[in-house]
């Protein structure tokens, strides 16, 4: 009977130890899963922020290029207007000279 009680006590302790070990393992697995999820979220945020920054930079570059093109078009239009004004003045002078003779 003593042997049976002793075996039962040892088995009981072993089962309690296994149960506690299982609890610890489950807690460890939950912690690791939580850590992994946090890392995934942080990585996703970092990638999203990088994408937003790249998009902003591309938009800024595009806006600058569009402004440069618009400025060049305005300058070219002003030059053409000046040239047309000079040509009109030259034509007036030529007409005056031709009619004065």
């Amino acid at each position: 009977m003593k042997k049976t009680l002793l075996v039962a006590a040892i088995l009981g302790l072993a089962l309690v130890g296994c149960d506690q070990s299982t609890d610890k393992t489950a807690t460890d697995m939950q912690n690791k899963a939580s850590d992994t999820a946090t890392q995934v979220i942080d990585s996703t945020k970092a990638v999203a922020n990088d994408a937003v920054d790249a998009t902003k930079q591309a938009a800024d570059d595009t806006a600058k290029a569009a402004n440069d093109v618009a400025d060049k078009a305005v300058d070219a239009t002003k030059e053409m207007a000046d040239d047309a004004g000079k040509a009109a003045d030259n034509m007036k002078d030529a007409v005056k000279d031709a009619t004065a003779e």
Side-chain angles (χ1 to χ4, degrees):
M1 180 87 171
K2 288 183 181 181
K3 288 184 181 181
T4 305
L5 288 175
L6 183 61
V7 170
I10 292 173
L11 284 175
L13 288 174
L15 289 174
V16 169
C18 288
D19 188 44
Q20 289 176 352
S21 175
T22 302
D23 288 345
K24 184 177 186 290
T25 302
T27 302
D28 289 347
M29 289 175 63
Q30 287 175 345
N31 290 340
K32 286 181 183 177
S34 178
D35 290 345
T36 301
T38 301
Q39 289 173 350
V40 169
I41 289 169
D42 290 345
S43 295
T44 303
K45 285 180 183 177
V47 168
N49 287 337
D50 290 347
V52 167
D53 291 343
T55 302
K56 285 180 184 176
Q57 185 61 46
D60 288 346
D61 292 346
T62 302
K64 286 178 186 175
N67 284 336
D68 289 346
V69 169
D71 289 344
K72 288 179 183 177
V74 167
D75 290 344
T77 303
K78 285 180 183 177
E79 285 181 25
M80 289 186 336
D82 289 345
D83 290 346
K86 288 179 187 175
D89 288 342
N90 289 341
M91 184 63 76
K92 284 180 190 177
D93 292 343
V95 169
K96 281 182 186 178
D97 290 345
T99 56
E101 294 179 3

